[in-house]
Amino acid sequence: MSQANQELHELAKKEYEHGFVTDIESDTLPPGLDEDTVRAISARKKEPQWMLDWRLEAFAKWQEMTPPKWPYLDLPEIDFQSISYYSAPKKPEDGPKSLDEVDPKLIETYNKLGIPLEEQKLLAGVTEATDVAVDAVFDSVSVKTTYSERLAEDGIIFCSLSEAIHDHPDLIKQYMASVVPVTDNFFAALNCAVFTDGSFVYIPKGVRCPMELSTYFRINAQNTGQFERTLIIAEEGSYVSYLEGCTAPQRDENQLHAAVVELVAMKDAEIKYSTVQNWYPGDETGKGGIYNFVTKRAECRGDNSKVSWTQVETGSAITWKYPSCVLKGDNSTGEFYSVALSSLSQQADTGTKMIHLGKNTSSTIVAKGVSAMKGQNAYRGLVHIGKSADGARNYTQCDSLLLGDTCGAHTFPYMEVKNPTAQVEHEATTSKIGDDQLFYCQQRGISEEDAVSMIVNGFCKEVFKELPMEFAVEAQKLLSVSLEGAVG
Amino acid sequence: MLEIKDLHVSVDGNEILKGINLSVGTGEVHAIMGPNGSGKSTLSYILSGKDGYDVTAGSVTYEGKDLLEMETDERACEGIFLAFQYPVEIPGVNNTYFLKAAVNAKRKYQGLEELDAMGFMKLMKEKMPIVEMKQDLLTRSVNVGFSGGEKKRNEIFQMAVLEPKLALLDETDSGLDIDALRIVANGVNSLRNEERSMVVVTHYQRLLDYIEPDFVHVLSDGKIIKSGDKSLALELEDKGYSWLDKSA
Ligand SMILES: Nc1ncnc2c1ncn2[C@@H]1O[C@H](COP(=O)(O)OP(=O)(O)OP(=O)(O)O)[C@@H](O)[C@H]1O
Ligand SMILES: [Mg+2]
């Protein structure tokens, strides 16, 4: 797919030769959640006592909490006792032997997305491909993150969170849950108790990370909750761009996905976090999709720091996600660029929170929602300007595009301005893909399907241009494929 | 090339075209004039395949095929081009990108190899002088923020690039200033040839000064009430439509 991924493949191959994958036992915990589950997860991961204690404390707190009620979602009752909380990768011999054994519909989508054959095998879990493990969170156990050697030359740490717990306990103790506290919300607390793995990134002072760091996530065992945690720390004057996600659709039974992502930017540091997310959305009735509850938050801890979230969301049956920035440092900047697509019976409730605490902090929000078929899209944004945030500025632009009459778009902007010197600007538009626009394109010979994807991509352009180049190309393709059959 | 027989068209149950008969031969230029609301745009929409119009009677044959059976994009690929009275804005879609998609859709349909970026740029360079197209308009989103005249010029530029067999020009002259009218009309004229037919909808003789029609038709209340040669347009300019109503 890309040069970076090719590198990954090669590196990953090497890891395999070193026998890394072989020491992972393939096992899945039986469904259910109690203290013993938490102990079992920690034990399987051979965690130190302090980590287990931390998990148990979080679990105790979670038991006293209830799921949020306010999102604009039709939330099914989730039975937390019916979910299995730990699953190691299936053994290679359990997977399909070749692509011929994989659901042809899935292959068709891979082909439309232009995913190379080798990568298709990997994504579909085909046996012969297991020697090409991309830096993937394979079910719950993170296959060793790659690049590491090269990055280590700059003092950069890029590894799985499990490894970081063993190798860098001081950093973990110092930073984990320092941005998203354990009791922040129901799903975050649950994650603290049962998180399985994720990524850890540490960029030392003054270092500009020489490549985009990327991770593929996947879920492939049935009825397995996926609880990832990611922690990125950018020390003074450093820079990193991190890519999360995968354009290939992930098919599965209804699955709970409750991730936590924490970013810390110190003085003059910059973190760019891009996500292209395409969990399996379920069928037309919403059956079979993934429930995606994610807590993503960044803290601009130092002066002049900057965090930029860019996301393209097309998957999941239900998405509940608000990447946020806490702007503590003076002159710090938070950005949020988002495209959320809800088609079929998908429900998305996404947005951001910009919390201005430092002086002259500024934030930009550009949220684009596309709804088709029976999709429901809600934007929920909070701009909070604290008492001390003299000269804070926010610009919010929130645009919705509707395809057809059966879908919906809703916006819920919240503003809390406690400082009179703040400047807050909000613009919102809702438009329908006009029959006139479609006719105009078709009159020029462009097919209806191509016309729709052209118009939608045009609508999302301001966000796509924030994505790293090749990710942007993939995102566009993904949007087109996701919209197929959505009109007409 | 185009044969319209007793065409009746309704929108939401209201009959708008009430029995149109029109025959356009290869290489011919027909002008259609007529009062506001008489159905001129409706005719161009029904020929190009816009949704929402019901054909209640009659037929349209294009190059021997039943035109009304064809999809909108198929008609375009078969060589029908409509220069819109009100060109449509498409935010975020680059004008050049749009035109390249259109050219390649057509080429694909014709079984030709699609043009790459270089090949397409060459084609653009070749066509730009025809309507003195400004580079700047090509890099902006399709019609977004274009002035009325710029939109019309863009339509004819697209026509030059897409090289249709049958061009329908709906009030291409309206919104153009005097210089632009000359440039665009001369552009259209230079695209005139023995294989290309045109149906030119206009209210004014000024356009027909540049694009001399072979035939002029007057459409009134959904019917062609008079046809003639180019002198009919001059007569109309002089006397107005009421003259025809009385004589009809
Ligand atoms: N979608 C529609 N619904 C209802 N009436 C319509 C619709 N489209 C067109 N009409 C009516 O049909 C008639 C013909 O319209 P049309 O646009 O074809 O006229 P025209 O001859 O092009 O006029 P002009 O010279 O002003 O451009 C008008 O009375 C118009 O109001
Ligand atoms: Mg008209």
Side-chain angles (χ1 to χ4, degrees), chain A residues 21 24 63 75 144 156 163 172 188 190 205 246 290 302 312 323 344 349 379-380 389 414 419 429 439 445 466 471 483:
Chain A
V21 181
I24 298 170
Q63 282 183 306
L75 208 59
K144 187 180 164 83
I156 294 170
E163 282 177 290
I172 296 293
L190 177 64
K205 191 170 165 179
C246 180
I290 281 170
V312 177
L344 305 166
D349 192 300
Y379 168 81
R380 193 183 298 278
Y414 304 92
N419 185 308
T429 65
F439 174 58
E466 296 296 324
F471 232 36
L483 280 171

Side-chain angles (χ1 to χ4, degrees), chain A residues 248-265:
Chain A
Q250 307 297 310
R251 271 179 182 260
D252 227 306
E253 293 298 300
N254 278 353
Q255 277 197 324
L256 179 63
H257 185 84
V260 171
V261 176
E262 296 178 281
L263 313 182
V264 182

Side-chain angles (χ1 to χ4, degrees), chain B residues 40-41 85 170-171:
Chain B
K40 303 181 299 296
S41 293
Q85 181 173 4
D170 194 355
E171 296 195 27

Side-chain angles (χ1 to χ4, degrees), chain B residues 218-234:
Chain B
V218 179
L219 189 62
S220 177
D221 192 23
K223 276 189 240 164
I224 291 179
I225 55 165
K226 194 165 177 71
S227 298
D229 62 13
K230 63 184 180 190
S231 64
L232 177 58
L234 290 166

Side-chain angles (χ1 to χ4, degrees), chain B residues 11-12 14 16 34-43 53 85-86 170-171 203:
Chain B
V11 179
D12 298 331
N14 300 320
I16 293 171
N36 294 131
S38 56
K40 303 181 299 296
S41 293
T42 303
L43 179 62
Y53 296 85
Q85 181 173 4
Y86 305 106
D170 194 355
E171 296 195 27
H203 286 292

